[in-house]
Amino acid sequence: MTIWSLLDRFDDWINPIVVKEVRQAVKSRLVVSVLMVFLVLMLVVMGFALSFQAARSEFGGSNSGMGREVFAWLQGFLLPTIMLVVPVYAAIRMGAERSETNADLLFISMLSPSAIISGKFVAALVFAMLIFSIFAPFMVFTYLLRGIDIPTILFVLWMDLMGMFAATMFALFLASIPGVLALRVFAVFSGFIFVFFCFCYVMGGSMALIWSPQEITLQPEIMWPVIGAITTLVVANMVLVFFYAVALISPVTSNRILPIRVTLLLNWVITAVAMFYWSANGATMGLGAGPSNMIQIPIVLFVGYNLSVLCVQFIISTCERDSWGTRMTRAIPQNILLRLPAFLLYTGAAGGVLFTIGLLLATVLLGLLGDWLFAAGHAHDDTPISFTLRLLGIIALYVVCYGLTGALIRYFFLRKQLRHSFTWVLTACLVGVGSILPWMFSIIFLLDGMRGQTVYWWLVPNPFAAAFEFSLEGRAWRGGNEAFLSLVVLFLGAWLVLLVLPTLTWTLQQMLRFRPYKRRSESVKSLPLRAEVVDPIVRTARPLAPTAIRAEPVPPPVGDDPSAVTPG
Amino acid sequence: MQVQIRNLVKHYGSTKAVNDISFTFGSGQIYGFVGPNGAGKSTTMRIMATLDEPTDGDVWIDGISVVEDPEKARQLVGYVPDQLPDHRDISVHEYLDFFARAYGLKGDKRRRVVEEILEFCNLKGIQEKHINALSKGMKNRVSVARALVHDPAVLIMDEPASGLDPRARIELRELLKVLATQGKAILISSHILTELSEICDGALFIERGRLLKAGLMDELLREGRKHRTVIVRTLNDAHSLCKHVLTLPFVDHARAVDPQTVEVDVLAEQDPDEAIANLLEMILKDGFRIKEYRPREADLEQIFMDVTRGEVQ
């Protein structure tokens, strides 16, 4: 096999989207200009640094921190570029593809939605690598200027990479959101603010590392668990966001939630195993020995990450379909034993709600187990784990109550007026009403009675107020706090009890509809072979001319008679 | 190879975009899909191209269901949407190469197919030009070339001739004829009915999601019309002739086009030729002097006007 045939095979193996995107990028004047500007910028920074170093030496100054200073400058240019510019570029490229016609053309090709998203992601990475290739020689050079060590450089670059991966995938997800322009602009704007906050954290962290007073020598027993934990969470989130993006560009009739549910389940298992292992081996993995707050951090990460993600997933589940088309029903297993897990994992509102509630409960239970295992000898009752469980648990309860109420109202009363995908709008309205209406009522009718009240009962349906109160719990900032919190728990408990019966009805009806596809071959065979013209004006039915139709039976659907299928 | 559309139904909420449509066409045939805006043409075509799922019914392409086996069906369908490609920084050759890759063509075969398509669609001379720099006619040719890259048996074209200049239209027409002779089944929607009548073997009329009329072009033009139009030029006053013919029982409508010309719509539900001959006889009998008497040839436009009501949903 010659080198050319190997290259040819490699060329065939590359995702077509990557080939197209890279071709477009290297031809784009904008991209080439940006790369040239960076190259010039690096040369200018390095030129100034060397001149400054020479001048400082001339006047007897110290140059021991020059490498660190230059590295900080380079980081100041690199991070915004790869964490903000590259994701925005990827999002614009994805948005252009998302325009009606282009997307249609992609979808009727043999490219799967996952190939499209992964192609866009890899193309963005290639673009980022082009930028890295400009920065890399200059960054390496800073080591020679002294003041910064190799582990710090590598650690900062790892942070940059993690930030870029996560931001790019998130940007692709935002660019995949369908709908009206206003909604898309709002989503992209909100997403950009979120990415900007993440960028600030990464920038702050990297600068803290670079500018710490002494040269940093990261201890392996601390560095590797931290790198492992953050990489696990970033990768878990990236995979999840990847499948969300894939689902957004997949046909609505397809079973597009299945990979998301499987990923959620895998993420849950992997984070549980990884974080419990880290806490259990905290003494040798940088968390210190004995019952300390440090040893609880992995469990807090596990509970915090999973409860947050599952709350979002719960709202998404309430917006899923409650009946299934032919394409979906074809995937439903005939075996009744396999149908129950399929109901939980396949696209469908009730299945999604059950699945998410199950994982929420499992997370809380595992969190309680972690609290019992790793905070048993803790000096205070309010451990980091129990605090996280209480705060996020109460938020999850609000999400379940409001989300489920929204889904049930739409299903039982507004099914024709509101599409299932807009259930979240109804839920948001309910949250708005629940937060504002009791408060307004109390202002108008009970103003005098409000004075001197210690339990602000009118704030009970307000999830933001309750979350705020719960975040302050244990600090006893005012009397009545505990009574309010008890009232919140009582209120949510009563609400859940009220929801049980309609939820069961809702779930049961969907379960009964969740049946495998029944082939319609018999009815198809009996169809007449003519064009049925139903004319409300002429009121006559006229068959197509005999030459247009061959008098052959309609071939049965695929699978019934393989000889009838002659593709190509 | 046959394309069979059976009892196709597509609802968007309470709107019935496609309402129980059934028709069949086969290899080597070009069928025109005619209807007012919002009639359900694009929805039907999108279902055929596997981009939408029907609420009920199905489409079989060479025996493969687009509902049950969309991936297999896709290999048999080339879809030309109503919007033309508008990519930046990509040449015609790269664009076609990308879609050849997207359809799974590999190595030498891919390169050969792209070259053949460029040659066939007469795009060789502009293969290095960027897509967004092309004229509408050229973009249209690129769009057709893209749809042909995987050699589909069926070509579905949604308004391919809209906005094209006369030369581009003629070129497109010739291209479609060649494709039909190669055995491709072509369904084409267009508002330019004169064009359709020149290239199509058959036509389908659709309004408010319902199929109103369907058949081979010759038959459609020959039959099923409510009236025939006759152009009468007289040496007398056109208005008096107009008033006179309106008193005749078999005349549906008459209008004076200019001082000497009258257009008369003759009811032609029984025997159109007989009615036309009767009209001439009556006019001459009543003393009008005629210098030209010409029945207008039937065309798709007139059938379209007869069949549809211009209703939208």
Side-chain angles (χ1 to χ4, degrees):
Chain A
M1 191 176 282
T2 64
I3 187 84
W4 293 115
S5 60
L6 274 176
L7 281 174
D8 220 28
R9 278 199 180 181
F10 179 69
D11 183 40
D12 288 336
W13 175 78
I14 305 172
N15 186 323
I17 298 269
V18 179
V19 177
K20 173 177 157 279
E21 290 290 313
V22 174
R23 274 177 175 167
Q24 283 180 287
V26 293
K27 276 189 173 184
S28 163
R29 283 185 200 153
L30 178 75
V31 172
V32 173
S33 309
V34 166
L35 294 177
M36 293 309 292
V37 165
F38 276 123
L39 192 59
V40 172
L41 203 64
M42 292 300 99
L43 288 169
V44 169
V45 168
M46 204 48 80
F48 266 114
L50 291 174
S51 312
F52 194 63
Q53 190 183 33
R56 214 189 257 176
S57 301
E58 194 71 24
F59 294 104
S62 167
N63 281 317
S64 60
M66 181 55 78
R68 186 165 52 189
E69 286 171 28
V70 177
F71 187 83
W73 272 97
L74 297 183
Q75 171 71 355
F77 289 121
L78 178 65
L79 191 62
T81 310
I82 60 169
M83 217 177 144
L84 298 176
V85 178
V86 171
V88 167
Y89 175 78
I92 290 170
R93 301 288 320 155
M94 184 66 207
E97 216 72 82
R98 195 75 182 86
S99 74
E100 188 79 9
T101 309
N102 294 341
D104 283 355
L105 296 181
L106 284 183
F107 295 148
I108 56 167
S109 70
M110 293 294 115
L111 286 174
S112 63
S114 57
I116 294 170
I117 297 290
S118 58
K120 291 281 174 188
F121 182 68
V122 174
L125 293 194
V126 171
F127 180 49
M129 286 306 129
L130 281 174
I131 294 171
F132 255 119
S133 67
I134 292 172
F135 280 81
F138 298 97
M139 285 185 141
V140 170
F141 192 68
T142 58
Y143 177 67
L144 302 175
L145 293 175
R146 293 182 180 179
I148 191 154
D149 57 356
I150 291 288
T152 306
I153 292 175
L154 291 178
F155 198 83
V156 169
L157 287 179
W158 167 79
M159 285 170 78
D160 290 355
L161 276 178
M162 286 292 114
M164 186 197 68
F165 286 165
T168 305
M169 189 49 81
F170 189 62
L172 286 175
F173 160 74
L174 291 175
S176 305
I177 293 174
V180 292
L181 186 67
L183 177 72
R184 293 175 71 183
V185 168
F186 174 74
V188 169
F189 182 72
S190 317
F192 186 78
I193 291 173
F194 174 71
V195 171
F196 187 75
F197 272 110
C198 296
F199 160 77
C200 291
Y201 273 108
V202 178
M203 183 61 104
S206 63
M207 286 299 163
L209 273 174
I210 295 165
W211 290 107
S212 54
Q214 305 98 2
E215 281 197 353
I216 292 169
T217 312
L218 291 164
Q219 300 296 321
E221 66 267 26
I222 301 169
M223 191 173 77
W224 291 116
V226 169
I227 287 177
I230 294 176
T231 307
T232 305
L233 289 178
V234 169
V235 171
N237 249 331
M238 268 177 58
V239 174
L240 193 59
V241 174
F242 169 79
F243 282 116
Y244 276 130
V246 170
L248 284 174
I249 65 164
S250 295
V252 285
T253 51
S254 63
N255 190 6
R256 55 188 186 165
I257 293 294
L258 175 66
I260 292 176
R261 300 247 173 93
V262 172
T263 309
L264 272 172
L265 197 59
L266 286 177
N267 276 1
W268 191 87
V269 172
I270 289 167
T271 50
V273 170
M275 297 307 158
F276 269 78
Y277 181 80
W278 191 12
S279 277
N281 297 282
T284 55
M285 294 175 78
L287 297 177
S292 67
N293 282 352
M294 286 290 279
I295 210 160
Q296 295 178 47
I297 284 174
I299 308 301
V300 169
L301 283 175
F302 164 75
V303 171
Y305 168 74
N306 281 297
L307 286 185
S308 313
V309 168
L310 288 170
C311 283
V312 175
Q313 183 55 39
F314 187 85
I315 296 297
I316 292 171
S317 295
T318 60
C319 299
E320 286 174 35
R321 59 198 305 175
D322 42 38
S323 57
W324 296 270
T326 317
R327 209 171 283 182
M328 256 295 299
T329 50
R330 281 177 61 223
I332 297 173
Q334 299 281 347
N335 187 332
I336 201 144
L337 291 174
L338 293 173
R339 220 178 290 167
L340 181 65
F343 182 73
L344 294 174
L345 292 173
Y346 284 16
T347 298
V353 161
L354 285 184
F355 172 84
T356 320
I357 287 177
L359 272 190
L360 278 168
L361 285 174
T363 309
V364 171
L365 288 176
L366 221 54
L368 289 172
L369 179 70
D371 194 44
W372 180 69
L373 283 174
F374 304 115
H378 202 269
H380 307 287
D381 289 340
D382 192 35
T383 63
I385 296 174
S386 62
F387 175 76
T388 312
L389 272 175
R390 257 200 314 274
L391 177 62
L392 290 178
I394 214 73
I395 291 173
L397 269 178
Y398 271 108
V399 168
V400 169
C401 287
Y402 273 111
L404 209 48
T405 308
L408 294 172
I409 289 176
R410 192 206 72 81
Y411 183 78
F412 287 113
F413 305 110
L414 299 171
R415 206 189 301 188
K416 285 191 175 167
Q417 289 81 3
L418 192 70
R419 285 181 64 191
H420 58 81
S421 52
F422 288 102
T423 309
W424 65 273
V425 177
L426 187 61
T427 303
C429 290
L430 287 175
V431 172
V433 168
S435 304
I436 296 168
L437 214 62
W439 176 74
M440 282 180 70
F441 178 80
S442 58
I443 289 276
I444 295 166
F445 299 106
L446 306 166
L447 192 58
D448 291 337
M450 283 168 76
R451 292 199 187 98
Q453 282 273 356
T454 51
V455 181
Y456 299 150
W457 58 264
W458 54 89
L459 289 178
V460 167
N462 186 333
F464 307 103
F468 180 70
E469 290 285 340
F470 269 81
S471 70
L472 295 171
E473 201 209 4
R475 296 177 200 183
W477 74 293
R478 66 161 184 258
N481 181 273
E482 279 181 20
F484 173 76
L485 300 183
S486 306
L487 200 59
V488 166
V489 173
L490 203 67
F491 169 75
L492 291 174
W495 192 350
L496 276 179
V497 169
L498 284 176
L499 289 175
V500 167
L501 194 63
T503 305
L504 282 177
T505 314
W506 179 62
T507 309
L508 205 65
Q509 285 180 359
Q510 286 181 57
M511 270 184 164
L512 291 173
R513 277 201 294 273
F514 192 75
R515 288 169 181 276
Y517 178 67
K518 216 177 245 178
R519 292 191 181 279
R520 292 169 294 178
S521 52
E522 284 311 307
S523 60
V524 166
K525 276 175 185 167
S526 63
L527 275 172
L529 268 177
R530 62 193 172 88
E532 284 143 22
V533 183
V534 185
D535 183 356
I537 302 167
V538 183
R539 306 252 177 241
T540 54
R542 206 177 67 75
L544 272 175
T547 46
I549 302 160
R550 281 172 285 168
E552 292 164 0
V554 178
V558 180
D560 285 2
D561 179 12
S563 63
V565 184
T566 52
Chain B
M1 202 283 306
Q2 265 194 340
V3 180
Q4 297 179 318
I5 289 89
R6 289 274 166 236
N7 305 105
L8 203 65
V9 176
K10 177 71 183 176
H11 294 180
Y12 290 111
S14 57
T15 308
K16 292 176 178 174
V18 177
N19 192 0
D20 200 15
I21 278 182
S22 300
F23 61 90
T24 307
F25 63 104
S27 293
Q29 289 185 318
I30 306 178
Y31 259 73
F33 208 15
V34 185
N37 289 330
K41 301 188 296 290
S42 295
T43 308
T44 308
M45 288 180 148
R46 285 176 64 82
I47 292 170
M48 292 172 76
T50 73
L51 285 165
D52 273 336
E53 190 180 16
T55 309
D56 201 5
D58 207 339
V59 176
W60 279 277
I61 298 168
D62 205 13
I64 295 168
S65 159
V66 298
V67 178
E68 294 188 28
D69 254 320
E71 290 80 16
K72 269 188 183 174
R74 242 170 246 168
Q75 291 175 330
L76 302 175
V77 177
Y79 174 62
V80 181
D82 53 349
Q83 284 170 309
L84 299 173
D86 191 24
H87 291 269
R88 294 183 69 84
D89 302 316
I90 189 164
S91 69
V92 172
H93 187 282
E94 287 166 347
Y95 181 73
L96 294 178
D97 180 71
F98 164 64
F99 276 99
R101 286 170 189 265
Y103 276 102
L105 298 177
K106 294 190 187 303
D108 282 338
K109 190 183 176 191
R110 185 184 69 241
R111 282 185 279 275
R112 198 180 62 245
V113 164
V114 171
E115 288 304 314
E116 283 171 6
I117 293 285
L118 285 166
E119 194 84 57
F120 178 73
C121 295
N122 203 9
L123 293 167
K124 267 277 182 195
I126 56 159
Q127 62 172 325
E128 294 308 324
K129 273 197 172 183
H130 282 194
I131 298 245
N132 58 340
L134 297 179
S135 67
K136 223 168 185 181
M138 287 297 176
K139 276 185 187 173
N140 190 281
R141 253 196 256 171
V142 174
S143 196
V144 175
R146 181 205 48 72
L148 293 173
V149 99
H150 59 298
D151 193 22
V154 182
L155 206 55
I156 298 165
M157 307 175 88
D158 196 357
E159 303 283 353
S162 66
L164 296 189
D165 62 37
R167 173 175 285 276
R169 276 187 199 167
I170 292 164
E171 285 172 354
L172 177 68
R173 206 163 60 200
E174 295 309 312
L175 192 63
L176 290 179
K177 282 179 182 168
V178 174
L179 287 169
T181 56
Q182 288 181 352
K184 297 205 187 300
I186 302 172
L187 183 66
I188 174 170
S189 81
S190 177
H191 289 305
I192 306 159
L193 302 181
T194 47
E195 200 127 287
L196 284 184
S197 57
E198 283 179 47
I199 55 166
C200 291
D201 301 300
L204 306 145
F205 292 88
I206 181 174
E207 188 173 47
R208 297 189 71 190
R210 280 182 166 268
L211 194 62
L212 304 178
K213 203 172 184 67
L216 287 179
M217 199 59 76
D218 294 344
E219 292 184 353
L220 285 171
L221 295 176
R222 206 169 51 236
E223 298 170 6
R225 291 185 45 204
K226 284 179 179 173
H227 61 254
R228 291 285 302 272
T229 303
V230 181
I231 296 159
V232 187
R233 296 190 74 195
T234 175
L235 291 174
N236 308 96
D237 177 30
H239 286 285
S240 56
L241 175 63
C242 192
K243 275 182 191 168
H244 177 72
V245 295
L246 277 171
T247 61
L248 299 174
F250 49 83
V251 171
D252 183 37
H253 189 67
R255 58 205 162 269
V257 181
D258 61 46
Q260 288 194 315
T261 312
V262 177
E263 272 186 16
V264 186
D265 291 342
V266 181
L267 288 170
E269 278 167 353
Q270 302 300 319
D271 185 350
D273 293 336
E274 180 80 17
I276 289 166
N278 285 345
L279 176 67
L280 180 62
E281 190 185 339
M282 297 295 271
I283 291 171
L284 292 173
K285 197 173 146 187
D286 292 325
F288 285 96
R289 297 181 70 200
I290 303 301
K291 61 177 178 181
E292 187 182 342
Y293 186 83
R294 176 164 52 88
R296 183 185 277 170
E297 286 302 313
D299 56 21
L300 272 186
E301 276 180 17
Q302 205 153 11
I303 301 169
F304 177 74
M305 293 306 288
D306 282 351
V307 169
T308 62
R309 288 171 169 171
E311 289 174 342
V312 288
Q313 40 184 355

